[in-house]
Amino acid sequence: MLKGANVPVTARSVRVEIGWQTASGAPDVDASALLLAGRKVRSDADFIFYNQPRHASGAVRHEGKQPAGGTVTDRIGVDLGAVEPGIETVVLAASADGGAFGRVPGLHIRLLDADTGAELARFDSEDASTETAFVLGELYRRGGGWKFRAVGQGYDSGLAGLATDFGISVDDAPAAAPAPAAAPAPVPAQAAPPAAPVRLSKVTLTKSAPSISLAKQGATSGTIRVNLNWQERVQEQQSWKQRFSKAMGGALDLDLCALFELADGRKGVVQALGNAFGALHQPPYIHLDGDDRTGAVAAGENLTINLDHVRDLRRIVIFVTIYSGATSFRDISATVTLTPQHGAPVEFTLDECTVDSPVCALALLTNQNGELVVQREARYLVPEPRVSPQRTVDYAYGWGMQWTPGSK
């Protein structure tokens, strides 16, 4: 599509993919969406992005990044049939983290039918320079239906500038000039406190910057939630062996797990297998909230760690195993997000798997002088014959536990 062109959208539900090519020195890119009524949001809740991944209506969802070879896509799901009647436009935007879009090769937006995977529209941005945020496209109502328009409007003021332009209040936006002093107006007796502004800050762990101290990010108390969401990579051609394995395995089901070692030397595992879901307010101070079978970003698999008991934790290895639906991580992409109750979220994507691995060590959390430090691992492991994935992680990190078969 050319900039400014539009096409009708007849699909009830669509997936938006904002993609780019990886390159040395290129900034990371994040997708976001704004739900507009009269070209403005109704409230900050109408802004969907990495720190606020799901709209209250359920109509718009940030679904996370998917690396594949030399490209990455960040995905937004939009159920057009569920968009509230008062919403006229869904703006689809991207922001660059650590540089300008002139250094991001291959920036584009694709609109796909969420049910069939068919491409409905594509717009390639080819004139980016100093911009740090872009409105790449928009879905808008017209004549009782929906249309998609290629926009290509850039901002030099980043995600904060783009968001404030549509009526979002953010905590890191430039302060407005003070107004002249005036007599204060009477405060109503039952006035509600103002809503907290949207936080745009986040930390992305990479191979070159793989670790972060949670305390230095302000996460010294409360809880931290570890979310895993996943999706099968789309392969245009699969061997008969891959297709047979997928057919026999059924739906893809990954399990988020954690090996823990407490300060007093006790060790164990938190996982759905064997219903070892842990506990948040007593040892091991880690809790798995359920066993998700879809990988959806709004649900996915979630571990919660009680940061009020950091002194009781020595180390934690967070890992994921394939329970069913696949035999290896070769055709699976996943995003890990650690969201503290206080402080900036920490996220990273898994590298593309090149070995026949059914288990991946995601992150290592260690207590270093009273601070919990997160180390990105993204380490695919290959078990020895007749050795379970859990025991394989144990061997790799020197836990030394005794293992027995389990089920769920």
Side-chain angles (χ1 to χ4, degrees):
M1 295 179 64
L2 298 176
K3 184 185 296 189
N6 63 78
V7 294
V9 179
T10 58
R12 173 179 171 83
S13 183
V14 297
R15 184 171 74 248
V16 179
E17 293 186 351
I18 292 177
W20 62 98
Q21 297 171 8
T22 56
S24 177
D28 192 25
V29 176
D30 295 295
S32 57
L34 300 103
L35 288 73
L36 308 184
R39 301 308 299 176
K40 293 287 184 181
V41 297
R42 300 167 302 180
S43 73
D44 291 349
D46 288 338
F47 183 30
I48 306 305
F49 69 121
Y50 47 79
N51 281 356
Q52 194 164 268
R54 183 181 176 87
H55 192 259
S57 67
V60 182
R61 307 167 308 281
H62 179 248
E63 296 180 343
K65 292 176 182 171
Q66 177 180 339
T71 64
V72 181
T73 59
D74 202 5
R75 298 157 294 166
I76 300 283
V78 184
D79 183 349
L80 295 172
V83 175
E84 297 161 299
I87 297 299
E88 301 163 355
T89 308
V90 180
V91 168
L92 306 166
S95 55
D97 184 11
F101 274 107
R103 294 165 50 196
V104 179
L107 180 66
H108 65 273
I109 183 171
R110 296 173 71 215
L111 187 71
L112 307 175
D113 187 315
D115 296 321
T116 67
E119 183 177 284
L120 306 176
R122 176 178 175 132
F123 168 59
D124 290 84
S125 176
E126 299 175 343
D127 57 356
S129 57
T130 62
E131 300 88 352
T132 49
F134 254 102
V135 173
L136 291 170
E138 63 182 18
L139 293 158
Y140 62 100
R141 296 185 191 269
R142 186 58 52 88
W146 286 91
K147 283 190 169 187
F148 171 78
R149 178 184 292 118
V151 178
Q153 177 185 353
Y155 292 74
D156 289 336
S157 49
L159 184 59
L162 183 150
T164 53
D165 195 44
F166 288 103
I168 299 292
S169 57
V170 299
D171 66 351
D172 46 1
V187 178
Q190 312 227 346
V198 172
R199 288 190 63 130
L200 300 184
S201 57
K202 70 163 185 170
V203 176
T204 300
L205 299 183
T206 64
K207 287 182 179 179
S208 59
S211 64
I212 191 74
S213 167
L214 293 178
K216 289 181 171 58
Q217 297 299 312
T220 57
S221 63
T223 60
I224 183 168
R225 184 178 52 122
V226 183
N227 172 268
L228 173 74
N229 74 88
W230 63 87
Q231 181 171 330
E232 292 180 87
R233 290 192 177 98
V234 178
Q235 303 288 346
E236 293 184 2
Q237 292 185 341
Q238 288 184 322
S239 68
W240 69 268
K241 186 176 180 181
Q242 289 172 308
R243 292 194 299 268
F244 178 78
S245 174
K246 184 176 179 180
M248 294 300 292
L252 179 63
D253 181 16
L254 306 186
D255 283 342
L256 186 62
C257 317
L259 287 176
F260 64 84
E261 181 180 2
L262 301 182
D264 61 11
R266 283 181 289 174
K267 299 176 182 178
V269 63
V270 174
Q271 60 177 359
L273 202 66
N275 295 320
F277 290 99
L280 191 60
H281 299 291
Q282 61 187 37
Y285 309 109
I286 306 167
H287 181 251
L288 177 66
D289 67 0
D291 181 26
D292 183 71
R293 305 274 177 125
T294 66
V297 71
E301 297 260 329
N302 294 281
L303 275 166
T304 305
I305 302 170
N306 191 337
L307 297 182
D308 292 333
H309 287 271
V310 167
R311 66 184 181 280
D312 298 310
L313 302 171
R314 181 172 294 165
R315 57 178 179 152
I316 304 167
V317 172
I318 300 170
F319 64 99
V320 57
T321 67
I322 299 174
Y323 184 76
S324 65
T327 58
S328 169
F329 279 98
R330 285 181 183 270
D331 297 328
I332 301 169
S333 65
T335 302
V336 183
T337 305
L338 294 82
T339 306
Q341 188 173 343
H342 310 290
V346 178
E347 72 166 18
F348 61 88
T349 56
L350 298 187
D351 300 323
E352 191 162 350
C353 181
T354 58
V355 296
D356 291 327
S357 169
V359 56
C360 180
L362 303 177
L364 173 64
L365 282 67
T366 55
N367 189 325
Q368 299 182 17
N369 300 317
E371 296 183 5
L372 204 58
V373 174
V374 179
Q375 170 82 26
R376 176 188 188 269
E377 295 290 292
R379 181 181 174 189
Y380 294 104
L381 303 173
V382 180
E384 297 291 333
R386 296 181 296 279
V387 175
S388 70
Q390 289 84 351
R391 188 174 299 192
T392 300
V393 179
D394 182 317
Y395 290 168
Y397 289 88
W399 238 254
M401 291 170 54
Q402 299 297 316
W403 296 88
T404 57
S407 62
K408 65 174 183 176

